Amino acid sequence: MRSLEGQSSWLSEDASPPGSGKIYNLCETLMEDLNNYAECMIPIDEINTLNIMLFPTLSSPAQVRAWHVPLFTVRIETVMDDNWDLTMQRVIPFINGVNSVKNIAALADADLKLTRECVRHLLYYGCVLLLDIFSFNNIYAPTAEFTNMIASDTDMQAECARYVNTAFEPSQNETAAGSVAASISLKSGLAATADLAADDDIWPLTGRRDVVDGVSVVQLYACLRQGLSIREWYIQNTNMLANIDLRRFITFGVIKGFLYRVHRQEAQPSPTNR
C-alpha cells in the first residue's frame, strides 16, 4: 500500500463515501478470499497485484535425539524437488523407519547436528513421526484406546495383516523412503500395492501353516503388557509369529496409537537414617 501511494496516490485519491470505493471493495474481496481459500490474488491496476496467503501456526516440534527413528507419514517424493536443502536431499533416502538419526547421519555422510535439524524440519511439517529404536528388550503395552480401535475394527485388523505379513515385505529394489511410504500412511492407510491382494491372502500364517486371522492379531497385541519384554513375548508366541514381521507389528500399534512404549524405572535406594 505504501508503494501504491508513492507511485500513484492510490489511497489518497479515493474520495468515495464510506462503504464504497476501490479501497472498500479491495478489503471486502480480501476478507472473503482469505476466509474461503486462505489466500488471494487481487489485481489492483495494470502492473500491481495483491498476493496474500495465510499459513497455519504450528507448534514447535519435539527435540530430535540421536536414538530416535524417523518414519515418513507422507510420500516424500511427491513434495520434494531439486531446490531442497542439500543436506535434506542426502538424508531423506536413508529415512526408512529402521535407521536411527545417528545411523542416518553416518550413512548420508552428513553432520549429526544438521541431520537432526533436517528431521526436526520434517517433523514440524508433519512429514515424519519419531519412534524408538526397536529392541527385543523393549516393553510395550496396549493403551486405553485398544478396545475401541483394533480390537473392534475389522478393517484395521486387515490393514495390520497386510502391513506385518512377510509376504508383502518391500522388494530390495525399492528405495528406503518409498518402501515405507508404500507400506503405511497415517492418512491414506495402505498403498495400492498392498490393496491388490485378495482378502483371503492378506493374513499371515503360523509355524504350522495355520492362518493368523483378525482375532489372532488382536490376541497377540493383548498379550503385550507391562513387565513383559518383546523377547519374552516372542518366546510365548513363537508359532503365531512365524510369518509376521515383529518390527512392523510393533510399529503399526505405536503409529495407530493403541500401543505405547513402557520405560523401565530404576529402583530408588531407600533413605538411610543418620
Short mmCIF file of all heavy atoms in Angstrom, two decimals, residues 76-128:
data_model
loop_
_atom_site.label_atom_id
_atom_site.label_comp_id
_atom_site.label_asym_id
_atom_site.label_seq_id
_atom_site.Cartn_x
_atom_site.Cartn_y
_atom_site.Cartn_z
N ILE A 76 7.15 -38.74 0.41
CA ILE A 76 8.03 -37.57 0.37
C ILE A 76 8.46 -37.25 -1.05
O ILE A 76 8.73 -36.08 -1.38
CB ILE A 76 9.26 -37.80 1.27
CG1 ILE A 76 9.98 -36.48 1.56
CG2 ILE A 76 10.19 -38.83 0.67
CD1 ILE A 76 9.18 -35.49 2.36
N GLU A 77 8.50 -38.24 -1.94
CA GLU A 77 8.94 -37.97 -3.31
C GLU A 77 7.95 -37.09 -4.06
O GLU A 77 8.31 -36.47 -5.07
CB GLU A 77 9.15 -39.29 -4.06
CG GLU A 77 7.90 -40.13 -4.27
CD GLU A 77 7.62 -41.07 -3.11
OE1 GLU A 77 8.27 -40.90 -2.06
OE2 GLU A 77 6.77 -41.95 -3.28
N THR A 78 6.70 -37.02 -3.59
CA THR A 78 5.71 -36.19 -4.27
C THR A 78 5.83 -34.71 -3.92
O THR A 78 5.27 -33.86 -4.63
CB THR A 78 4.29 -36.66 -3.94
OG1 THR A 78 4.07 -36.53 -2.52
CG2 THR A 78 4.11 -38.12 -4.35
N VAL A 79 6.52 -34.39 -2.85
CA VAL A 79 6.66 -32.99 -2.44
C VAL A 79 8.09 -32.48 -2.53
O VAL A 79 8.35 -31.29 -2.40
CB VAL A 79 6.14 -32.79 -0.99
CG1 VAL A 79 4.67 -33.11 -0.91
CG2 VAL A 79 6.92 -33.66 -0.01
N MET A 80 9.02 -33.36 -2.78
CA MET A 80 10.44 -32.99 -2.81
C MET A 80 10.83 -32.54 -4.21
O MET A 80 10.34 -33.06 -5.21
CB MET A 80 11.28 -34.19 -2.37
CG MET A 80 12.74 -33.92 -2.22
SD MET A 80 13.60 -35.39 -1.60
CE MET A 80 15.29 -34.78 -1.60
N ASP A 81 11.71 -31.55 -4.29
CA ASP A 81 12.25 -31.12 -5.58
C ASP A 81 13.72 -30.79 -5.45
O ASP A 81 14.31 -30.88 -4.37
CB ASP A 81 11.46 -29.93 -6.14
CG ASP A 81 11.47 -28.72 -5.21
OD1 ASP A 81 12.54 -28.41 -4.65
OD2 ASP A 81 10.41 -28.09 -5.02
N ASP A 82 14.33 -30.39 -6.55
CA ASP A 82 15.78 -30.15 -6.59
C ASP A 82 16.19 -28.90 -5.83
O ASP A 82 17.39 -28.69 -5.61
CB ASP A 82 16.25 -30.02 -8.05
CG ASP A 82 16.07 -31.32 -8.81
OD1 ASP A 82 16.04 -32.38 -8.17
OD2 ASP A 82 15.95 -31.27 -10.06
N ASN A 83 15.25 -28.06 -5.45
CA ASN A 83 15.58 -26.84 -4.73
C ASN A 83 15.69 -27.04 -3.22
O ASN A 83 15.99 -26.09 -2.51
CB ASN A 83 14.52 -25.76 -5.03
CG ASN A 83 14.51 -25.36 -6.49
OD1 ASN A 83 15.55 -25.25 -7.12
ND2 ASN A 83 13.31 -25.16 -7.04
N TRP A 84 15.42 -28.24 -2.76
CA TRP A 84 15.51 -28.51 -1.32
C TRP A 84 16.95 -28.43 -0.85
O TRP A 84 17.90 -28.56 -1.63
CB TRP A 84 14.93 -29.88 -1.00
CG TRP A 84 13.43 -29.89 -0.92
CD1 TRP A 84 12.57 -29.11 -1.64
CD2 TRP A 84 12.62 -30.71 -0.08
NE1 TRP A 84 11.27 -29.40 -1.31
CE2 TRP A 84 11.27 -30.36 -0.35
CE3 TRP A 84 12.89 -31.68 0.86
CZ2 TRP A 84 10.20 -30.98 0.30
CZ3 TRP A 84 11.83 -32.30 1.52
CH2 TRP A 84 10.51 -31.94 1.24
N ASP A 85 17.10 -28.22 0.44
CA ASP A 85 18.42 -28.15 1.06
C ASP A 85 19.25 -29.38 0.71
O ASP A 85 18.73 -30.51 0.69
CB ASP A 85 18.25 -28.03 2.58
CG ASP A 85 19.58 -27.98 3.30
OD1 ASP A 85 20.22 -26.92 3.29
OD2 ASP A 85 19.97 -29.03 3.85
N LEU A 86 20.53 -29.19 0.45
CA LEU A 86 21.39 -30.30 0.02
C LEU A 86 21.51 -31.37 1.09
O LEU A 86 21.50 -32.57 0.79
CB LEU A 86 22.78 -29.76 -0.34
CG LEU A 86 22.84 -28.84 -1.57
CD1 LEU A 86 24.27 -28.35 -1.79
CD2 LEU A 86 22.32 -29.55 -2.81
N THR A 87 21.62 -30.96 2.35
CA THR A 87 21.69 -31.95 3.43
C THR A 87 20.41 -32.75 3.51
O THR A 87 20.43 -33.97 3.72
CB THR A 87 21.97 -31.26 4.78
OG1 THR A 87 23.18 -30.49 4.68
CG2 THR A 87 22.13 -32.29 5.88
N MET A 88 19.27 -32.07 3.33
CA MET A 88 17.99 -32.76 3.34
C MET A 88 17.92 -33.80 2.23
O MET A 88 17.44 -34.92 2.44
CB MET A 88 16.85 -31.75 3.19
CG MET A 88 15.46 -32.34 3.29
SD MET A 88 14.98 -32.74 4.98
CE MET A 88 14.59 -31.09 5.60
N GLN A 89 18.43 -33.46 1.06
CA GLN A 89 18.42 -34.40 -0.05
C GLN A 89 19.31 -35.61 0.23
O GLN A 89 19.02 -36.72 -0.22
CB GLN A 89 18.88 -33.70 -1.32
CG GLN A 89 17.94 -32.61 -1.81
CD GLN A 89 18.36 -32.03 -3.14
OE1 GLN A 89 18.75 -32.77 -4.06
NE2 GLN A 89 18.32 -30.71 -3.27
N ARG A 90 20.38 -35.42 0.98
CA ARG A 90 21.27 -36.53 1.32
C ARG A 90 20.66 -37.42 2.40
O ARG A 90 20.86 -38.63 2.41
CB ARG A 90 22.61 -36.00 1.81
CG ARG A 90 23.41 -35.27 0.77
CD ARG A 90 24.63 -34.60 1.39
NE ARG A 90 25.58 -35.57 1.90
CZ ARG A 90 26.66 -35.98 1.24
NH1 ARG A 90 26.90 -35.50 0.03
NH2 ARG A 90 27.48 -36.85 1.77
N VAL A 91 19.89 -36.81 3.29
CA VAL A 91 19.37 -37.53 4.46
C VAL A 91 18.14 -38.36 4.11
O VAL A 91 17.99 -39.51 4.57
CB VAL A 91 19.04 -36.52 5.58
CG1 VAL A 91 18.15 -37.14 6.64
CG2 VAL A 91 20.34 -36.01 6.21
N ILE A 92 17.24 -37.81 3.30
CA ILE A 92 15.93 -38.42 3.06
C ILE A 92 16.00 -39.87 2.57
O ILE A 92 15.22 -40.71 3.01
CB ILE A 92 15.11 -37.53 2.10
CG1 ILE A 92 14.51 -36.36 2.88
CG2 ILE A 92 14.04 -38.32 1.38
CD1 ILE A 92 13.72 -35.39 2.05
N PRO A 93 16.92 -40.24 1.65
CA PRO A 93 16.92 -41.63 1.18
C PRO A 93 17.16 -42.67 2.27
O PRO A 93 16.86 -43.85 2.06
CB PRO A 93 18.07 -41.64 0.15
CG PRO A 93 18.17 -40.22 -0.30
CD PRO A 93 17.88 -39.40 0.90
N PHE A 94 17.69 -42.27 3.42
CA PHE A 94 18.01 -43.23 4.47
C PHE A 94 16.98 -43.23 5.60
O PHE A 94 17.16 -43.93 6.60
CB PHE A 94 19.40 -42.93 5.03
CG PHE A 94 20.49 -43.02 4.00
CD1 PHE A 94 21.02 -41.87 3.42
CD2 PHE A 94 20.96 -44.24 3.57
CE1 PHE A 94 22.01 -41.94 2.46
CE2 PHE A 94 21.96 -44.33 2.60
CZ PHE A 94 22.48 -43.17 2.05
N ILE A 95 15.92 -42.46 5.45
CA ILE A 95 14.82 -42.48 6.42
C ILE A 95 13.87 -43.60 6.01
O ILE A 95 13.18 -43.50 5.00
CB ILE A 95 14.08 -41.13 6.48
CG1 ILE A 95 15.03 -40.02 6.94
CG2 ILE A 95 12.87 -41.20 7.40
CD1 ILE A 95 14.40 -38.64 6.99
N ASN A 96 13.87 -44.68 6.78
CA ASN A 96 13.08 -45.85 6.39
C ASN A 96 12.34 -46.50 7.56
O ASN A 96 11.83 -47.61 7.43
CB ASN A 96 13.98 -46.89 5.73
CG ASN A 96 15.10 -47.35 6.64
OD1 ASN A 96 15.21 -46.90 7.79
ND2 ASN A 96 15.96 -48.23 6.15
N GLY A 97 12.27 -45.83 8.71
CA GLY A 97 11.59 -46.43 9.85
C GLY A 97 12.42 -47.44 10.59
O GLY A 97 11.95 -48.04 11.56
N VAL A 98 13.67 -47.63 10.16
CA VAL A 98 14.58 -48.59 10.81
C VAL A 98 15.84 -47.88 11.31
O VAL A 98 16.28 -48.12 12.44
CB VAL A 98 14.97 -49.72 9.83
CG1 VAL A 98 15.96 -50.67 10.49
CG2 VAL A 98 13.73 -50.48 9.39
N ASN A 99 16.40 -47.01 10.49
CA ASN A 99 17.63 -46.32 10.85
C ASN A 99 17.37 -45.23 11.89
O ASN A 99 16.41 -44.46 11.77
CB ASN A 99 18.27 -45.67 9.61
CG ASN A 99 18.72 -46.70 8.60
OD1 ASN A 99 19.12 -47.81 8.96
ND2 ASN A 99 18.64 -46.35 7.33
N SER A 100 18.24 -45.17 12.88
CA SER A 100 18.17 -44.07 13.85
C SER A 100 18.77 -42.81 13.23
O SER A 100 19.42 -42.87 12.18
CB SER A 100 18.92 -44.44 15.12
OG SER A 100 20.31 -44.57 14.85
N VAL A 101 18.56 -41.69 13.87
CA VAL A 101 19.10 -40.42 13.37
C VAL A 101 20.62 -40.50 13.27
O VAL A 101 21.22 -40.01 12.30
CB VAL A 101 18.66 -39.26 14.27
CG1 VAL A 101 19.34 -37.96 13.86
CG2 VAL A 101 17.15 -39.09 14.22
N LYS A 102 21.25 -41.11 14.25
CA LYS A 102 22.71 -41.24 14.23
C LYS A 102 23.16 -42.09 13.05
O LYS A 102 24.14 -41.75 12.35
CB LYS A 102 23.19 -41.86 15.54
CG LYS A 102 24.69 -41.97 15.66
CD LYS A 102 25.12 -42.52 17.01
CE LYS A 102 26.63 -42.60 17.13
NZ LYS A 102 27.04 -43.13 18.47
N ASN A 103 22.45 -43.20 12.79
CA ASN A 103 22.82 -44.04 11.65
C ASN A 103 22.57 -43.33 10.33
O ASN A 103 23.32 -43.49 9.37
CB ASN A 103 22.02 -45.35 11.71
CG ASN A 103 22.48 -46.27 12.82
OD1 ASN A 103 23.59 -46.11 13.34
ND2 ASN A 103 21.63 -47.19 13.22
N ILE A 104 21.49 -42.55 10.27
CA ILE A 104 21.19 -41.80 9.05
C ILE A 104 22.31 -40.82 8.73
O ILE A 104 22.74 -40.69 7.59
CB ILE A 104 19.84 -41.07 9.20
CG1 ILE A 104 18.69 -42.08 9.24
CG2 ILE A 104 19.63 -40.08 8.06
CD1 ILE A 104 17.36 -41.47 9.58
N ALA A 105 22.80 -40.14 9.77
CA ALA A 105 23.88 -39.19 9.56
C ALA A 105 25.14 -39.89 9.04
O ALA A 105 25.82 -39.38 8.15
CB ALA A 105 24.19 -38.47 10.87
N ALA A 106 25.42 -41.08 9.58
CA ALA A 106 26.61 -41.82 9.14
C ALA A 106 26.43 -42.32 7.70
O ALA A 106 27.36 -42.22 6.88
CB ALA A 106 26.86 -42.99 10.08
N LEU A 107 25.25 -42.86 7.38
CA LEU A 107 25.01 -43.38 6.03
C LEU A 107 25.01 -42.26 4.99
O LEU A 107 25.46 -42.46 3.86
CB LEU A 107 23.68 -44.13 6.00
CG LEU A 107 23.62 -45.43 6.81
CD1 LEU A 107 22.18 -45.94 6.89
CD2 LEU A 107 24.53 -46.49 6.20
N ALA A 108 24.50 -41.10 5.38
CA ALA A 108 24.43 -39.97 4.44
C ALA A 108 25.72 -39.15 4.42
O ALA A 108 25.82 -38.20 3.64
CB ALA A 108 23.25 -39.06 4.81
N ASP A 109 26.68 -39.51 5.28
CA ASP A 109 27.92 -38.76 5.40
C ASP A 109 27.62 -37.29 5.67
O ASP A 109 28.16 -36.39 5.02
CB ASP A 109 28.77 -38.91 4.13
CG ASP A 109 30.20 -38.39 4.32
OD1 ASP A 109 30.63 -38.31 5.49
OD2 ASP A 109 30.86 -38.07 3.32
N ALA A 110 26.72 -37.08 6.64
CA ALA A 110 26.30 -35.73 6.99
C ALA A 110 26.56 -35.47 8.47
O ALA A 110 26.66 -36.41 9.28
CB ALA A 110 24.80 -35.53 6.69
N ASP A 111 26.68 -34.23 8.83
CA ASP A 111 26.89 -33.86 10.22
C ASP A 111 25.67 -34.24 11.04
O ASP A 111 24.52 -34.04 10.61
CB ASP A 111 27.15 -32.35 10.32
CG ASP A 111 27.38 -31.90 11.75
OD1 ASP A 111 28.48 -32.16 12.28
OD2 ASP A 111 26.45 -31.29 12.34
N LEU A 112 25.89 -34.79 12.23
CA LEU A 112 24.79 -35.25 13.07
C LEU A 112 23.86 -34.10 13.45
O LEU A 112 22.63 -34.25 13.44
CB LEU A 112 25.32 -35.95 14.33
CG LEU A 112 24.27 -36.42 15.34
CD1 LEU A 112 23.30 -37.41 14.71
CD2 LEU A 112 24.96 -37.06 16.56
N LYS A 113 24.43 -32.95 13.77
CA LYS A 113 23.61 -31.81 14.16
C LYS A 113 22.72 -31.36 13.01
O LYS A 113 21.53 -31.06 13.21
CB LYS A 113 24.52 -30.65 14.62
CG LYS A 113 23.76 -29.44 15.11
CD LYS A 113 24.72 -28.35 15.60
CE LYS A 113 23.95 -27.13 16.08
NZ LYS A 113 24.88 -26.05 16.55
N LEU A 114 23.27 -31.31 11.80
CA LEU A 114 22.48 -30.91 10.64
C LEU A 114 21.41 -31.96 10.32
O LEU A 114 20.30 -31.61 9.90
CB LEU A 114 23.38 -30.69 9.43
CG LEU A 114 24.38 -29.53 9.53
CD1 LEU A 114 25.24 -29.47 8.27
CD2 LEU A 114 23.64 -28.21 9.74
N THR A 115 21.76 -33.22 10.51
CA THR A 115 20.78 -34.29 10.27
C THR A 115 19.61 -34.17 11.24
O THR A 115 18.45 -34.33 10.85
CB THR A 115 21.45 -35.66 10.43
OG1 THR A 115 22.54 -35.77 9.52
CG2 THR A 115 20.46 -36.78 10.15
N ARG A 116 19.90 -33.87 12.48
CA ARG A 116 18.83 -33.69 13.47
C ARG A 116 17.93 -32.51 13.09
O ARG A 116 16.71 -32.57 13.25
CB ARG A 116 19.43 -33.48 14.86
CG ARG A 116 20.08 -34.72 15.45
CD ARG A 116 20.83 -34.42 16.73
NE ARG A 116 19.98 -33.76 17.72
CZ ARG A 116 20.42 -33.25 18.86
NH1 ARG A 116 21.72 -33.31 19.15
NH2 ARG A 116 19.59 -32.69 19.71
N GLU A 117 18.53 -31.44 12.57
CA GLU A 117 17.75 -30.28 12.17
C GLU A 117 16.86 -30.63 10.97
O GLU A 117 15.71 -30.17 10.89
CB GLU A 117 18.66 -29.11 11.83
CG GLU A 117 19.29 -28.44 13.03
CD GLU A 117 18.23 -27.86 13.97
OE1 GLU A 117 17.30 -27.19 13.47
OE2 GLU A 117 18.33 -28.09 15.19
N CYS A 118 17.37 -31.42 10.05
CA CYS A 118 16.57 -31.82 8.90
C CYS A 118 15.36 -32.64 9.35
O CYS A 118 14.23 -32.41 8.89
CB CYS A 118 17.42 -32.64 7.92
SG CYS A 118 18.65 -31.68 7.02
N VAL A 119 15.60 -33.59 10.23
CA VAL A 119 14.50 -34.42 10.74
C VAL A 119 13.51 -33.56 11.52
O VAL A 119 12.29 -33.76 11.44
CB VAL A 119 15.05 -35.56 11.61
CG1 VAL A 119 13.92 -36.35 12.25
CG2 VAL A 119 15.93 -36.48 10.78
N ARG A 120 14.01 -32.58 12.23
CA ARG A 120 13.13 -31.70 13.01
C ARG A 120 12.25 -30.85 12.08
O ARG A 120 11.09 -30.59 12.39
CB ARG A 120 13.97 -30.80 13.92
CG ARG A 120 13.20 -30.18 15.07
CD ARG A 120 14.12 -29.75 16.19
NE ARG A 120 13.35 -29.26 17.33
CZ ARG A 120 13.20 -27.98 17.65
NH1 ARG A 120 13.79 -27.04 16.92
NH2 ARG A 120 12.49 -27.62 18.70
N HIS A 121 12.80 -30.41 10.96
CA HIS A 121 12.00 -29.69 9.97
C HIS A 121 10.90 -30.57 9.41
O HIS A 121 9.75 -30.16 9.26
CB HIS A 121 12.88 -29.17 8.83
CG HIS A 121 13.53 -27.84 9.11
ND1 HIS A 121 14.67 -27.73 9.89
CD2 HIS A 121 13.20 -26.59 8.73
CE1 HIS A 121 15.01 -26.45 9.97
NE2 HIS A 121 14.13 -25.74 9.28
N LEU A 122 11.24 -31.81 9.08
CA LEU A 122 10.23 -32.75 8.58
C LEU A 122 9.17 -33.02 9.64
O LEU A 122 7.98 -33.15 9.32
CB LEU A 122 10.90 -34.05 8.15
CG LEU A 122 11.85 -33.96 6.95
CD1 LEU A 122 12.60 -35.27 6.76
CD2 LEU A 122 11.07 -33.61 5.67
N LEU A 123 9.59 -33.09 10.89
CA LEU A 123 8.66 -33.31 11.99
C LEU A 123 7.73 -32.10 12.15
O LEU A 123 6.53 -32.26 12.43
CB LEU A 123 9.44 -33.56 13.28
CG LEU A 123 8.65 -33.92 14.54
CD1 LEU A 123 7.94 -35.26 14.35
CD2 LEU A 123 9.56 -33.98 15.76
N TYR A 124 8.26 -30.91 11.98
CA TYR A 124 7.47 -29.69 12.13
C TYR A 124 6.32 -29.65 11.12
O TYR A 124 5.20 -29.24 11.46
CB TYR A 124 8.38 -28.48 11.94
CG TYR A 124 7.67 -27.15 11.99
CD1 TYR A 124 7.29 -26.58 13.21
CD2 TYR A 124 7.38 -26.43 10.83
CE1 TYR A 124 6.65 -25.36 13.26
CE2 TYR A 124 6.73 -25.21 10.87
CZ TYR A 124 6.37 -24.67 12.10
OH TYR A 124 5.72 -23.47 12.15
N TYR A 125 6.58 -30.10 9.89
CA TYR A 125 5.56 -30.06 8.85
C TYR A 125 4.75 -31.35 8.76
O TYR A 125 3.98 -31.55 7.82
CB TYR A 125 6.19 -29.75 7.50
CG TYR A 125 6.68 -28.33 7.40
CD1 TYR A 125 8.04 -28.03 7.46
CD2 TYR A 125 5.78 -27.27 7.27
CE1 TYR A 125 8.49 -26.71 7.38
CE2 TYR A 125 6.22 -25.96 7.18
CZ TYR A 125 7.57 -25.69 7.24
OH TYR A 125 8.01 -24.38 7.16
N GLY A 126 4.92 -32.24 9.73
CA GLY A 126 4.11 -33.45 9.79
C GLY A 126 4.48 -34.50 8.77
O GLY A 126 3.67 -35.38 8.45
N CYS A 127 5.70 -34.44 8.24
CA CYS A 127 6.13 -35.41 7.23
C CYS A 127 6.67 -36.69 7.85
O CYS A 127 6.74 -37.73 7.18
CB CYS A 127 7.20 -34.80 6.32
SG CYS A 127 6.61 -33.39 5.35
N VAL A 128 7.10 -36.63 9.10
CA VAL A 128 7.62 -37.81 9.79
C VAL A 128 7.08 -37.85 11.21
O VAL A 128 6.56 -36.86 11.73
CB VAL A 128 9.17 -37.83 9.84
CG1 VAL A 128 9.78 -37.83 8.46
CG2 VAL A 128 9.69 -36.65 10.67
#
